[in-house]
Amino acid sequence: MKSNPNLMDELISSRHSVRAYLDKPVQKTWIAEILDIAAKAPSGSNLQPWKVYVLEGAYKASLVQKVCALHDDLFLHPKKAGLYQPDYAYYPSVWVSPFLERRRENGWGLYSLLGIAKGEKEKMHQHHRRNFEFFGAPVGLFFTAHRSLEGGSLIDYGMFLQNLMLAAKARGLDTCPQAAWNSFSEVIMSHIGASEEEKLICGMSLGWSDQTQVVNTFMTPRLNAETFTTWLVDEEMT
Ligand SMILES: Cc1cc2nc3c(=O)[nH]c(=O)nc-3n(C[C@H](O)[C@H](O)[C@H](O)COP(=O)(O)O)c2cc1C
């Protein structure tokens, strides 16, 4: 294949998490195509741990209704939070530096863009709730893996998910990967008909970005390679 780094660099750089979508369907053939390309991802011993559920229309609407109701109930009764457990820990239980600061920067960056100030819990709740509406996207995706699979399969899964998001982007579509759904695994797995042998990896919104929405102007910074790379190379090689 002819070398064309700019094409790939531009595609990767143009992807960002989109949190407001147009009410416009995505052709089924496109979704299938995107999933086929995503599955070109490498995986240890070619295990291909991914299993995907595509939700649209009434299947999506009824789950949105169920999970939003649970989310609202939890807001009123926070002590019930223990009732909803993810299938695996996505985030650390103890936040240390620099991850705590990065997480805060990300959260407050988004909230301040949306005009949400510290302590405005109702507004935060409403924003977080948008997760459980797939941010208005026409397509909701859930990703599961067999419970027997270990951390290595999560590495493989990440590659699959990035492929999927880039293949979507190349077609003018946008995405938002979502771990927010994970706490409601039990309800989701039963709704989508997943077996007891599966664990929920995450959800994802897929659709056409609503570019009139301020939330979609949120862009996140990255450290450059020099800050996280240690060069252990001979002088003459640099
Ligand atoms: C696996 C995964 C789960 C995520 N879960 C959520 C989520 O539940 N809700 C959300 O709004 N964003 C979620 N994000 C998006 C991240 O906040 C976002 O990727 C990060 O801030 C970098 O911004 P960017 O995607 O716009 O480049 C998730 C991202 C990943 C990779």
Side-chain angles (χ1 to χ4, degrees):
M1 194 184 157
K2 230 174 129 196
S3 161
N4 189 351
N6 290 346
L7 185 70
M8 200 57 193
D9 294 359
E10 266 175 41
L11 184 61
I12 292 172
S13 305
S14 67
R15 186 218 56 82
H16 69 107
S17 294
V18 162
R19 298 183 176 91
Y21 292 84
L22 298 176
D23 183 16
K24 175 181 164 185
V26 180
Q27 276 169 266
K28 191 180 172 194
T29 51
W30 280 32
I31 303 172
E33 226 174 78
I34 288 168
L35 293 172
D36 273 337
I37 282 293
K40 301 285 180 194
S43 57
S45 296
N46 204 19
L47 294 189
Q48 305 169 71
W50 33 84
K51 189 156 186 211
V52 183
Y53 295 83
V54 181
L55 278 77
E56 289 182 274
Y59 280 102
K60 180 168 72 74
S62 53
L63 182 69
V64 162
Q65 199 180 24
K66 265 188 222 173
V67 177
C68 281
L70 291 175
H71 180 63
D72 289 344
D73 186 49
L74 273 179
F75 185 61
L76 297 174
H77 309 284
K79 283 189 181 155
K80 288 187 183 175
L83 295 175
Y84 305 99
Q85 294 296 332
D87 291 332
Y88 71 104
Y90 180 76
Y91 286 116
S93 52
V94 178
W95 288 88
V96 298
S97 186
F99 310 111
L100 178 64
E101 293 81 0
R102 287 182 197 161
R103 178 193 186 212
R104 284 187 177 146
E105 184 194 10
N106 193 62
W108 287 118
L110 189 54
Y111 282 154
S112 65
L113 183 71
L114 297 173
I116 303 175
K118 268 188 187 157
E120 291 191 303
K121 290 191 177 161
E122 171 61 31
K123 284 190 184 170
M124 287 179 198
H125 169 73
Q126 290 305 331
H127 166 71
H128 194 58
R129 193 181 198 273
R130 295 283 293 150
N131 271 287
F132 309 118
E133 295 168 346
F134 289 104
F135 300 110
V139 184
L141 301 168
F142 286 110
F143 305 96
T144 73
H146 197 276
R147 281 189 185 275
S148 66
L149 296 174
E150 296 285 0
S153 293
L154 289 179
I155 298 182
D156 306 337
Y157 229 118
M159 299 187 209
F160 172 82
L161 295 174
Q162 173 76 340
N163 276 358
L164 192 167
M165 292 189 282
L166 294 182
K169 190 75 216 173
R171 288 161 175 79
L173 287 159
D174 279 287
T175 51
C176 185
Q178 296 174 267
W181 290 99
N182 292 14
S183 299
F184 298 108
S185 164
E186 213 178 303
V187 180
I188 294 163
M189 298 298 255
S190 140
H191 186 89
I192 64 181
S195 83
E196 300 233 316
E197 291 180 331
E198 289 166 64
K199 56 184 169 187
L200 181 65
I201 302 299
C202 66
M204 187 183 283
S205 303
L206 170 73
W208 307 98
S209 172
D210 182 347
Q211 291 174 358
T212 65
Q213 297 299 311
V214 70
V215 71
N216 286 340
T217 63
F218 185 58
M219 296 298 157
T220 52
R222 295 294 189 277
L223 301 172
N224 57 42
E226 278 307 316
T227 62
F228 58 77
T229 309
T230 306
W231 298 88
L232 303 169
V233 297
D234 298 333
E235 281 283 305
E236 64 270 19
M237 295 179 83
T238 58

